[in-house]
PDB file of all heavy atoms in Angstrom:
ATOM      1  N   ARG X 125      94.800  90.687  92.188  1.00 84.00           N
ATOM      2  CA  ARG X 125      93.873  91.813  92.358  1.00 84.00           C
ATOM      3  C   ARG X 125      92.853  91.445  93.427  1.00 84.00           C
ATOM      4  O   ARG X 125      92.364  90.326  93.475  1.00 84.00           O
ATOM      5  CB  ARG X 125      93.144  92.127  91.053  1.00 84.00           C
ATOM      6  CG  ARG X 125      94.047  92.413  89.896  1.00 84.00           C
ATOM      7  CD  ARG X 125      94.646  93.788  90.025  1.00 84.00           C
ATOM      8  NE  ARG X 125      95.451  94.076  88.845  1.00 84.00           N
ATOM      9  CZ  ARG X 125      96.444  94.911  88.846  1.00 84.00           C
ATOM     10  NH1 ARG X 125      96.768  95.548  89.936  1.00 84.00           N
ATOM     11  NH2 ARG X 125      97.135  95.122  87.759  1.00 84.00           N
ATOM     12  N   LEU X 126      92.522  92.386  94.265  1.00 80.00           N
ATOM     13  CA  LEU X 126      91.589  92.160  95.357  1.00 80.00           C
ATOM     14  C   LEU X 126      90.607  93.320  95.408  1.00 80.00           C
ATOM     15  O   LEU X 126      91.002  94.482  95.351  1.00 80.00           O
ATOM     16  CB  LEU X 126      92.344  92.065  96.689  1.00 80.00           C
ATOM     17  CG  LEU X 126      91.519  91.946  97.946  1.00 80.00           C
ATOM     18  CD1 LEU X 126      90.794  90.604  97.988  1.00 80.00           C
ATOM     19  CD2 LEU X 126      92.398  92.102  99.166  1.00 80.00           C
ATOM     20  N   THR X 127      89.326  93.012  95.512  1.00 86.00           N
ATOM     21  CA  THR X 127      88.297  94.029  95.652  1.00 86.00           C
ATOM     22  C   THR X 127      87.715  93.926  97.056  1.00 86.00           C
ATOM     23  O   THR X 127      87.294  92.860  97.482  1.00 86.00           O
ATOM     24  CB  THR X 127      87.173  93.817  94.617  1.00 86.00           C
ATOM     25  OG1 THR X 127      87.747  93.860  93.314  1.00 86.00           O
ATOM     26  CG2 THR X 127      86.116  94.883  94.738  1.00 86.00           C
ATOM     27  N   VAL X 128      87.704  95.048  97.761  1.00 81.00           N
ATOM     28  CA  VAL X 128      87.158  95.086  99.114  1.00 81.00           C
ATOM     29  C   VAL X 128      85.820  95.810  99.058  1.00 81.00           C
ATOM     30  O   VAL X 128      85.744  96.963  98.636  1.00 81.00           O
ATOM     31  CB  VAL X 128      88.121  95.807 100.076  1.00 81.00           C
ATOM     32  CG1 VAL X 128      87.503  95.906 101.463  1.00 81.00           C
ATOM     33  CG2 VAL X 128      89.464  95.094 100.117  1.00 81.00           C
ATOM     34  N   ASP X 129      84.756  95.128  99.498  1.00 87.00           N
ATOM     35  CA  ASP X 129      83.426  95.728  99.507  1.00 87.00           C
ATOM     36  C   ASP X 129      83.122  96.438 100.819  1.00 87.00           C
ATOM     37  O   ASP X 129      82.374  97.409 100.854  1.00 87.00           O
ATOM     38  CB  ASP X 129      82.357  94.654  99.253  1.00 87.00           C
ATOM     39  CG  ASP X 129      82.481  94.067  97.854  1.00 87.00           C
ATOM     40  OD1 ASP X 129      82.829  94.814  96.916  1.00 87.00           O
ATOM     41  OD2 ASP X 129      82.228  92.866  97.710  1.00 87.00           O
ATOM     42  N   ALA X 130      83.694  95.934 101.911  1.00 87.00           N
ATOM     43  CA  ALA X 130      83.449  96.545 103.214  1.00 87.00           C
ATOM     44  C   ALA X 130      84.652  96.278 104.113  1.00 87.00           C
ATOM     45  O   ALA X 130      85.343  95.282 103.967  1.00 87.00           O
ATOM     46  CB  ALA X 130      82.199  95.960 103.852  1.00 87.00           C
ATOM     47  N   LEU X 131      84.875  97.179 105.025  1.00 79.00           N
ATOM     48  CA  LEU X 131      85.988  97.055 105.943  1.00 79.00           C
ATOM     49  C   LEU X 131      85.488  97.392 107.339  1.00 79.00           C
ATOM     50  O   LEU X 131      84.862  98.436 107.544  1.00 79.00           O
ATOM     51  CB  LEU X 131      87.114  98.010 105.546  1.00 79.00           C
ATOM     52  CG  LEU X 131      88.392  97.939 106.352  1.00 79.00           C
ATOM     53  CD1 LEU X 131      89.047  96.564 106.212  1.00 79.00           C
ATOM     54  CD2 LEU X 131      89.345  99.024 105.886  1.00 79.00           C
ATOM     55  N   LYS X 132      85.734  96.490 108.267  1.00 84.00           N
ATOM     56  CA  LYS X 132      85.277  96.699 109.636  1.00 84.00           C
ATOM     57  C   LYS X 132      86.480  96.553 110.572  1.00 84.00           C
ATOM     58  O   LYS X 132      87.190  95.548 110.522  1.00 84.00           O
ATOM     59  CB  LYS X 132      84.210  95.670 109.993  1.00 84.00           C
ATOM     60  CG  LYS X 132      83.663  95.827 111.390  1.00 84.00           C
ATOM     61  CD  LYS X 132      82.558  94.808 111.652  1.00 84.00           C
ATOM     62  CE  LYS X 132      82.023  94.931 113.055  1.00 84.00           C
ATOM     63  NZ  LYS X 132      80.994  93.944 113.342  1.00 84.00           N
ATOM     64  N   VAL X 133      86.712  97.537 111.423  1.00 80.00           N
ATOM     65  CA  VAL X 133      87.802  97.488 112.379  1.00 80.00           C
ATOM     66  C   VAL X 133      87.319  96.726 113.608  1.00 80.00           C
ATOM     67  O   VAL X 133      86.379  97.151 114.277  1.00 80.00           O
ATOM     68  CB  VAL X 133      88.267  98.909 112.766  1.00 80.00           C
ATOM     69  CG1 VAL X 133      89.351  98.836 113.831  1.00 80.00           C
ATOM     70  CG2 VAL X 133      88.745  99.658 111.540  1.00 80.00           C
ATOM     71  N   LEU X 134      87.949  95.591 113.877  1.00 81.00           N
ATOM     72  CA  LEU X 134      87.571  94.781 115.034  1.00 81.00           C
ATOM     73  C   LEU X 134      88.282  95.254 116.297  1.00 81.00           C
ATOM     74  O   LEU X 134      87.726  95.214 117.378  1.00 81.00           O
ATOM     75  CB  LEU X 134      87.883  93.313 114.769  1.00 81.00           C
ATOM     76  CG  LEU X 134      87.183  92.711 113.552  1.00 81.00           C
ATOM     77  CD1 LEU X 134      87.647  91.282 113.332  1.00 81.00           C
ATOM     78  CD2 LEU X 134      85.673  92.766 113.715  1.00 81.00           C
ATOM     79  N   ALA X 135      89.526  95.666 116.143  1.00 77.00           N
ATOM     80  CA  ALA X 135      90.296  96.200 117.269  1.00 77.00           C
ATOM     81  C   ALA X 135      91.482  96.952 116.691  1.00 77.00           C
ATOM     82  O   ALA X 135      91.973  96.620 115.611  1.00 77.00           O
ATOM     83  CB  ALA X 135      90.776  95.070 118.175  1.00 77.00           C
ATOM     84  N   THR X 136      91.938  97.941 117.395  1.00 74.00           N
ATOM     85  CA  THR X 136      93.092  98.689 116.915  1.00 74.00           C
ATOM     86  C   THR X 136      94.368  97.975 117.330  1.00 74.00           C
ATOM     87  O   THR X 136      94.440  97.362 118.394  1.00 74.00           O
ATOM     88  CB  THR X 136      93.097 100.119 117.472  1.00 74.00           C
ATOM     89  OG1 THR X 136      93.093 100.062 118.899  1.00 74.00           O
ATOM     90  CG2 THR X 136      91.888 100.892 116.986  1.00 74.00           C
ATOM     91  N   ALA X 137      95.343  98.042 116.487  1.00 68.00           N
ATOM     92  CA  ALA X 137      96.649  97.443 116.779  1.00 68.00           C
ATOM     93  C   ALA X 137      97.590  98.539 117.253  1.00 68.00           C
ATOM     94  O   ALA X 137      97.482  99.682 116.805  1.00 68.00           O
ATOM     95  CB  ALA X 137      97.205  96.778 115.531  1.00 68.00           C
ATOM     96  N   PRO X 138      98.500  98.188 118.135  1.00 67.00           N
ATOM     97  CA  PRO X 138      99.453  99.215 118.563  1.00 67.00           C
ATOM     98  C   PRO X 138     100.354  99.600 117.391  1.00 67.00           C
ATOM     99  O   PRO X 138     100.853  98.745 116.670  1.00 67.00           O
ATOM    100  CB  PRO X 138     100.248  98.529 119.669  1.00 67.00           C
ATOM    101  CG  PRO X 138     100.036  97.070 119.460  1.00 67.00           C
ATOM    102  CD  PRO X 138      98.721  96.916 118.787  1.00 67.00           C
ATOM    103  N   ALA X 139     100.518 100.877 117.179  1.00 60.00           N
ATOM    104  CA  ALA X 139     101.359 101.357 116.086  1.00 60.00           C
ATOM    105  C   ALA X 139     102.817 101.318 116.524  1.00 60.00           C
ATOM    106  O   ALA X 139     103.164 101.733 117.629  1.00 60.00           O
ATOM    107  CB  ALA X 139     100.963 102.774 115.711  1.00 60.00           C
ATOM    108  N   ARG X 140     103.650 100.794 115.647  1.00 58.00           N
ATOM    109  CA  ARG X 140     105.084 100.762 115.936  1.00 58.00           C
ATOM    110  C   ARG X 140     105.694 102.088 115.511  1.00 58.00           C
ATOM    111  O   ARG X 140     105.298 102.678 114.524  1.00 58.00           O
ATOM    112  CB  ARG X 140     105.740  99.620 115.178  1.00 58.00           C
ATOM    113  CG  ARG X 140     105.222  98.271 115.651  1.00 58.00           C
ATOM    114  CD  ARG X 140     105.931  97.171 114.968  1.00 58.00           C
ATOM    115  NE  ARG X 140     107.320  97.160 115.431  1.00 58.00           N
ATOM    116  CZ  ARG X 140     108.198  96.287 114.994  1.00 58.00           C
ATOM    117  NH1 ARG X 140     107.869  95.399 114.106  1.00 58.00           N
ATOM    118  NH2 ARG X 140     109.432  96.319 115.429  1.00 58.00           N
ATOM    119  N   ALA X 141     106.645 102.522 116.267  1.00 59.00           N
ATOM    120  CA  ALA X 141     107.338 103.763 115.924  1.00 59.00           C
ATOM    121  C   ALA X 141     108.133 103.547 114.647  1.00 59.00           C
ATOM    122  O   ALA X 141     108.817 102.538 114.496  1.00 59.00           O
ATOM    123  CB  ALA X 141     108.259 104.174 117.065  1.00 59.00           C
ATOM    124  N   LEU X 142     108.042 104.493 113.722  1.00 56.00           N
ATOM    125  CA  LEU X 142     108.749 104.368 112.455  1.00 56.00           C
ATOM    126  C   LEU X 142     110.260 104.352 112.637  1.00 56.00           C
ATOM    127  O   LEU X 142     110.972 103.823 111.798  1.00 56.00           O
ATOM    128  CB  LEU X 142     108.346 105.499 111.510  1.00 56.00           C
ATOM    129  CG  LEU X 142     106.921 105.441 110.990  1.00 56.00           C
ATOM    130  CD1 LEU X 142     106.643 106.656 110.112  1.00 56.00           C
ATOM    131  CD2 LEU X 142     106.678 104.163 110.214  1.00 56.00           C
ATOM    132  N   LYS X 143     110.748 104.890 113.733  1.00 63.00           N
ATOM    133  CA  LYS X 143     112.191 104.900 113.938  1.00 63.00           C
ATOM    134  C   LYS X 143     112.748 103.485 114.110  1.00 63.00           C
ATOM    135  O   LYS X 143     113.936 103.268 113.967  1.00 63.00           O
ATOM    136  CB  LYS X 143     112.554 105.752 115.148  1.00 63.00           C
ATOM    137  CG  LYS X 143     112.055 105.201 116.463  1.00 63.00           C
ATOM    138  CD  LYS X 143     112.402 106.106 117.611  1.00 63.00           C
ATOM    139  CE  LYS X 143     111.849 105.516 118.892  1.00 63.00           C
ATOM    140  NZ  LYS X 143     112.097 106.328 120.034  1.00 63.00           N
ATOM    141  N   GLU X 144     111.877 102.511 114.407  1.00 74.00           N
ATOM    142  CA  GLU X 144     112.313 101.130 114.584  1.00 74.00           C
ATOM    143  C   GLU X 144     112.457 100.390 113.257  1.00 74.00           C
ATOM    144  O   GLU X 144     113.096  99.355 113.203  1.00 74.00           O
ATOM    145  CB  GLU X 144     111.328 100.365 115.462  1.00 74.00           C
ATOM    146  CG  GLU X 144     111.212 100.890 116.869  1.00 74.00           C
ATOM    147  CD  GLU X 144     110.122 100.199 117.649  1.00 74.00           C
ATOM    148  OE1 GLU X 144     109.517  99.254 117.134  1.00 74.00           O
ATOM    149  OE2 GLU X 144     109.876 100.612 118.787  1.00 74.00           O
ATOM    150  N   MET X 145     111.847 100.909 112.179  1.00 82.00           N
ATOM    151  CA  MET X 145     111.884 100.237 110.891  1.00 82.00           C
ATOM    152  C   MET X 145     112.363 101.191 109.809  1.00 82.00           C
ATOM    153  O   MET X 145     112.080 102.378 109.849  1.00 82.00           O
ATOM    154  CB  MET X 145     110.499  99.711 110.524  1.00 82.00           C
ATOM    155  CG  MET X 145     110.001  98.622 111.438  1.00 82.00           C
ATOM    156  SD  MET X 145     108.514  97.789 110.858  1.00 82.00           S
ATOM    157  CE  MET X 145     107.379  99.113 110.654  1.00 82.00           C
ATOM    158  N   VAL X 146     113.073 100.620 108.839  1.00 87.00           N
ATOM    159  CA  VAL X 146     113.577 101.402 107.716  1.00 87.00           C
ATOM    160  C   VAL X 146     113.313 100.632 106.434  1.00 87.00           C
ATOM    161  O   VAL X 146     113.608  99.444 106.345  1.00 87.00           O
ATOM    162  CB  VAL X 146     115.095 101.656 107.852  1.00 87.00           C
ATOM    163  CG1 VAL X 146     115.636 102.372 106.626  1.00 87.00           C
ATOM    164  CG2 VAL X 146     115.404 102.435 109.119  1.00 87.00           C
ATOM    165  N   LEU X 147     112.708 101.304 105.446  1.00 88.00           N
ATOM    166  CA  LEU X 147     112.527 100.715 104.118  1.00 88.00           C
ATOM    167  C   LEU X 147     113.708 101.138 103.254  1.00 88.00           C
ATOM    168  O   LEU X 147     114.162 102.277 103.328  1.00 88.00           O
ATOM    169  CB  LEU X 147     111.231 101.223 103.474  1.00 88.00           C
ATOM    170  CG  LEU X 147     109.932 100.851 104.171  1.00 88.00           C
ATOM    171  CD1 LEU X 147     108.770 101.500 103.444  1.00 88.00           C
ATOM    172  CD2 LEU X 147     109.754  99.355 104.215  1.00 88.00           C
ATOM    173  N   ASP X 148     114.195 100.201 102.441  1.00 90.00           N
ATOM    174  CA  ASP X 148     115.301 100.518 101.549  1.00 90.00           C
ATOM    175  C   ASP X 148     115.066  99.839 100.215  1.00 90.00           C
ATOM    176  O   ASP X 148     114.387  98.807 100.147  1.00 90.00           O
ATOM    177  CB  ASP X 148     116.612 100.044 102.161  1.00 90.00           C
ATOM    178  CG  ASP X 148     117.823 100.736 101.567  1.00 90.00           C
ATOM    179  OD1 ASP X 148     117.653 101.629 100.701  1.00 90.00           O
ATOM    180  OD2 ASP X 148     118.952 100.394 101.955  1.00 90.00           O
ATOM    181  N   ARG X 149     115.580 100.428  99.140  1.00 92.00           N
ATOM    182  CA  ARG X 149     115.431  99.872  97.795  1.00 92.00           C
ATOM    183  C   ARG X 149     116.722  99.203  97.373  1.00 92.00           C
ATOM    184  O   ARG X 149     117.806  99.705  97.618  1.00 92.00           O
ATOM    185  CB  ARG X 149     115.121 100.979  96.780  1.00 92.00           C
ATOM    186  CG  ARG X 149     113.743 101.573  96.844  1.00 92.00           C
ATOM    187  CD  ARG X 149     112.641 100.698  96.282  1.00 92.00           C
ATOM    188  NE  ARG X 149     112.763 100.343  94.891  1.00 92.00           N
ATOM    189  CZ  ARG X 149     112.065 100.871  93.902  1.00 92.00           C
ATOM    190  NH1 ARG X 149     111.183 101.808  94.149  1.00 92.00           N
ATOM    191  NH2 ARG X 149     112.230 100.451  92.681  1.00 92.00           N
ATOM    192  N   TYR X 150     116.594  98.049  96.744  1.00 89.00           N
ATOM    193  CA  TYR X 150     117.698  97.355  96.088  1.00 89.00           C
ATOM    194  C   TYR X 150     117.262  97.180  94.646  1.00 89.00           C
ATOM    195  O   TYR X 150     116.735  96.135  94.268  1.00 89.00           O
ATOM    196  CB  TYR X 150     117.948  95.987  96.728  1.00 89.00           C
ATOM    197  CG  TYR X 150     118.712  96.030  98.031  1.00 89.00           C
ATOM    198  CD1 TYR X 150     118.144  96.556  99.181  1.00 89.00           C
ATOM    199  CD2 TYR X 150     120.003  95.547  98.105  1.00 89.00           C
ATOM    200  CE1 TYR X 150     118.838  96.591 100.371  1.00 89.00           C
ATOM    201  CE2 TYR X 150     120.712  95.579  99.296  1.00 89.00           C
ATOM    202  CZ  TYR X 150     120.122  96.102 100.424  1.00 89.00           C
ATOM    203  OH  TYR X 150     120.812  96.142 101.603  1.00 89.00           O
ATOM    204  N   GLY X 151     117.397  98.206  93.827  1.00 90.00           N
ATOM    205  CA  GLY X 151     116.938  98.150  92.438  1.00 90.00           C
ATOM    206  C   GLY X 151     115.433  97.978  92.396  1.00 90.00           C
ATOM    207  O   GLY X 151     114.690  98.833  92.866  1.00 90.00           O
ATOM    208  N   ASP X 152     114.970  96.833  91.871  1.00 92.00           N
ATOM    209  CA  ASP X 152     113.538  96.541  91.767  1.00 92.00           C
ATOM    210  C   ASP X 152     112.976  95.892  93.031  1.00 92.00           C
ATOM    211  O   ASP X 152     111.869  95.359  93.009  1.00 92.00           O
ATOM    212  CB  ASP X 152     113.272  95.621  90.576  1.00 92.00           C
ATOM    213  CG  ASP X 152     113.511  96.318  89.251  1.00 92.00           C
ATOM    214  OD1 ASP X 152     113.378  97.554  89.209  1.00 92.00           O
ATOM    215  OD2 ASP X 152     113.835  95.635  88.273  1.00 92.00           O
ATOM    216  N   TYR X 153     113.725  95.923  94.105  1.00 94.00           N
ATOM    217  CA  TYR X 153     113.315  95.252  95.344  1.00 94.00           C
ATOM    218  C   TYR X 153     113.249  96.236  96.500  1.00 94.00           C
ATOM    219  O   TYR X 153     113.966  97.234  96.526  1.00 94.00           O
ATOM    220  CB  TYR X 153     114.295  94.121  95.685  1.00 94.00           C
ATOM    221  CG  TYR X 153     114.313  93.055  94.619  1.00 94.00           C
ATOM    222  CD1 TYR X 153     115.145  93.157  93.521  1.00 94.00           C
ATOM    223  CD2 TYR X 153     113.448  91.969  94.699  1.00 94.00           C
ATOM    224  CE1 TYR X 153     115.143  92.196  92.526  1.00 94.00           C
ATOM    225  CE2 TYR X 153     113.432  91.007  93.707  1.00 94.00           C
ATOM    226  CZ  TYR X 153     114.282  91.126  92.624  1.00 94.00           C
ATOM    227  OH  TYR X 153     114.262  90.181  91.640  1.00 94.00           O
ATOM    228  N   VAL X 154     112.386  95.929  97.468  1.00 93.00           N
ATOM    229  CA  VAL X 154     112.239  96.732  98.678  1.00 93.00           C
ATOM    230  C   VAL X 154     112.485  95.810  99.870  1.00 93.00           C
ATOM    231  O   VAL X 154     111.974  94.688  99.911  1.00 93.00           O
ATOM    232  CB  VAL X 154     110.815  97.340  98.782  1.00 93.00           C
ATOM    233  CG1 VAL X 154     110.646  98.112 100.071  1.00 93.00           C
ATOM    234  CG2 VAL X 154     110.523  98.221  97.576  1.00 93.00           C
ATOM    235  N   VAL X 155     113.265  96.285 100.821  1.00 94.00           N
ATOM    236  CA  VAL X 155     113.544  95.508 102.026  1.00 94.00           C
ATOM    237  C   VAL X 155     113.126  96.330 103.246  1.00 94.00           C
ATOM    238  O   VAL X 155     113.074  97.557 103.196  1.00 94.00           O
ATOM    239  CB  VAL X 155     115.036  95.128 102.125  1.00 94.00           C
ATOM    240  CG1 VAL X 155     115.444  94.253 100.951  1.00 94.00           C
ATOM    241  CG2 VAL X 155     115.927  96.333 102.199  1.00 94.00           C
ATOM    242  N   VAL X 156     112.811  95.619 104.334  1.00 91.00           N
ATOM    243  CA  VAL X 156     112.368  96.276 105.562  1.00 91.00           C
ATOM    244  C   VAL X 156     113.327  95.893 106.678  1.00 91.00           C
ATOM    245  O   VAL X 156     113.374  94.735 107.094  1.00 91.00           O
ATOM    246  CB  VAL X 156     110.932  95.841 105.945  1.00 91.00           C
ATOM    247  CG1 VAL X 156     110.478  96.587 107.199  1.00 91.00           C
ATOM    248  CG2 VAL X 156     109.973  96.070 104.791  1.00 91.00           C
ATOM    249  N   PHE X 157     114.111  96.861 107.124  1.00 91.00           N
ATOM    250  CA  PHE X 157     115.011  96.633 108.248  1.00 91.00           C
ATOM    251  C   PHE X 157     114.271  96.963 109.540  1.00 91.00           C
ATOM    252  O   PHE X 157     113.649  98.004 109.652  1.00 91.00           O
ATOM    253  CB  PHE X 157     116.259  97.511 108.135  1.00 91.00           C
ATOM    254  CG  PHE X 157     117.137  97.166 106.972  1.00 91.00           C
ATOM    255  CD1 PHE X 157     117.153  97.954 105.844  1.00 91.00           C
ATOM    256  CD2 PHE X 157     117.954  96.044 107.025  1.00 91.00           C
ATOM    257  CE1 PHE X 157     117.969  97.648 104.771  1.00 91.00           C
ATOM    258  CE2 PHE X 157     118.772  95.729 105.953  1.00 91.00           C
ATOM    259  CZ  PHE X 157     118.779  96.523 104.819  1.00 91.00           C
ATOM    260  N   ASP X 158     114.340  96.047 110.503  1.00 88.00           N
ATOM    261  CA  ASP X 158     113.671  96.208 111.788  1.00 88.00           C
ATOM    262  C   ASP X 158     114.722  96.077 112.884  1.00 88.00           C
ATOM    263  O   ASP X 158     115.466  95.094 112.924  1.00 88.00           O
ATOM    264  CB  ASP X 158     112.594  95.137 111.947  1.00 88.00           C
ATOM    265  CG  ASP X 158     111.752  95.305 113.191  1.00 88.00           C
ATOM    266  OD1 ASP X 158     112.186  95.986 114.141  1.00 88.00           O
ATOM    267  OD2 ASP X 158     110.651  94.739 113.223  1.00 88.00           O
ATOM    268  N   ALA X 159     114.788  97.047 113.780  1.00 83.00           N
ATOM    269  CA  ALA X 159     115.787  97.043 114.842  1.00 83.00           C
ATOM    270  C   ALA X 159     115.638  95.854 115.793  1.00 83.00           C
ATOM    271  O   ALA X 159     116.593  95.481 116.463  1.00 83.00           O
ATOM    272  CB  ALA X 159     115.708  98.341 115.631  1.00 83.00           C
ATOM    273  N   ASP X 160     114.449  95.241 115.841  1.00 84.00           N
ATOM    274  CA  ASP X 160     114.197  94.156 116.779  1.00 84.00           C
ATOM    275  C   ASP X 160     114.630  92.784 116.275  1.00 84.00           C
ATOM    276  O   ASP X 160     114.591  91.813 117.026  1.00 84.00           O
ATOM    277  CB  ASP X 160     112.711  94.096 117.126  1.00 84.00           C
ATOM    278  CG  ASP X 160     112.268  95.316 117.909  1.00 84.00           C
ATOM    279  OD1 ASP X 160     113.112  95.936 118.580  1.00 84.00           O
ATOM    280  OD2 ASP X 160     111.073  95.660 117.842  1.00 84.00           O
ATOM    281  N   THR X 161     115.017  92.667 114.991  1.00 87.00           N
ATOM    282  CA  THR X 161     115.369  91.360 114.443  1.00 87.00           C
ATOM    283  C   THR X 161     116.414  91.497 113.348  1.00 87.00           C
ATOM    284  O   THR X 161     116.516  92.545 112.709  1.00 87.00           O
ATOM    285  CB  THR X 161     114.115  90.639 113.884  1.00 87.00           C
ATOM    286  OG1 THR X 161     114.505  89.371 113.366  1.00 87.00           O
ATOM    287  CG2 THR X 161     113.446  91.438 112.795  1.00 87.00           C
ATOM    288  N   ASP X 162     117.192  90.435 113.142  1.00 91.00           N
ATOM    289  CA  ASP X 162     118.174  90.423 112.056  1.00 91.00           C
ATOM    290  C   ASP X 162     117.527  90.034 110.735  1.00 91.00           C
ATOM    291  O   ASP X 162     118.044  90.349 109.676  1.00 91.00           O
ATOM    292  CB  ASP X 162     119.300  89.429 112.353  1.00 91.00           C
ATOM    293  CG  ASP X 162     120.252  89.948 113.423  1.00 91.00           C
ATOM    294  OD1 ASP X 162     120.318  91.174 113.623  1.00 91.00           O
ATOM    295  OD2 ASP X 162     120.935  89.123 114.058  1.00 91.00           O
ATOM    296  N   ALA X 163     116.387  89.325 110.789  1.00 93.00           N
ATOM    297  CA  ALA X 163     115.710  88.883 109.573  1.00 93.00           C
ATOM    298  C   ALA X 163     115.191  90.091 108.794  1.00 93.00           C
ATOM    299  O   ALA X 163     114.749  91.072 109.381  1.00 93.00           O
ATOM    300  CB  ALA X 163     114.566  87.934 109.919  1.00 93.00           C
ATOM    301  N   VAL X 164     115.259  90.002 107.450  1.00 94.00           N
ATOM    302  CA  VAL X 164     114.882  91.128 106.601  1.00 94.00           C
ATOM    303  C   VAL X 164     113.871  90.660 105.549  1.00 94.00           C
ATOM    304  O   VAL X 164     114.218  89.877 104.669  1.00 94.00           O
ATOM    305  CB  VAL X 164     116.118  91.718 105.887  1.00 94.00           C
ATOM    306  CG1 VAL X 164     115.729  92.918 105.045  1.00 94.00           C
ATOM    307  CG2 VAL X 164     117.194  92.096 106.893  1.00 94.00           C
ATOM    308  N   PRO X 165     112.603  91.104 105.634  1.00 94.00           N
ATOM    309  CA  PRO X 165     111.629  90.769 104.597  1.00 94.00           C
ATOM    310  C   PRO X 165     112.000  91.464 103.288  1.00 94.00           C
ATOM    311  O   PRO X 165     112.402  92.626 103.292  1.00 94.00           O
ATOM    312  CB  PRO X 165     110.306  91.312 105.132  1.00 94.00           C
ATOM    313  CG  PRO X 165     110.554  91.736 106.537  1.00 94.00           C
ATOM    314  CD  PRO X 165     112.018  91.876 106.714  1.00 94.00           C
ATOM    315  N   VAL X 166     111.837  90.734 102.177  1.00 95.00           N
ATOM    316  CA  VAL X 166     112.180  91.271 100.864  1.00 95.00           C
ATOM    317  C   VAL X 166     110.968  91.130  99.942  1.00 95.00           C
ATOM    318  O   VAL X 166     110.369  90.059  99.860  1.00 95.00           O
ATOM    319  CB  VAL X 166     113.394  90.537 100.261  1.00 95.00           C
ATOM    320  CG1 VAL X 166     113.750  91.099  98.896  1.00 95.00           C
ATOM    321  CG2 VAL X 166     114.590  90.606 101.204  1.00 95.00           C
TER     322      VAL X 166
END
């Protein structure tokens, strides 16, 4: 659990196009497919 008391934006990050990434469910798991890499975060 994390409580945030204040949030300050130091710089904006470039937003990636959603078409480059896909979220998928494997039962109780979520994976992120990214067109730029074969590695898949789970």
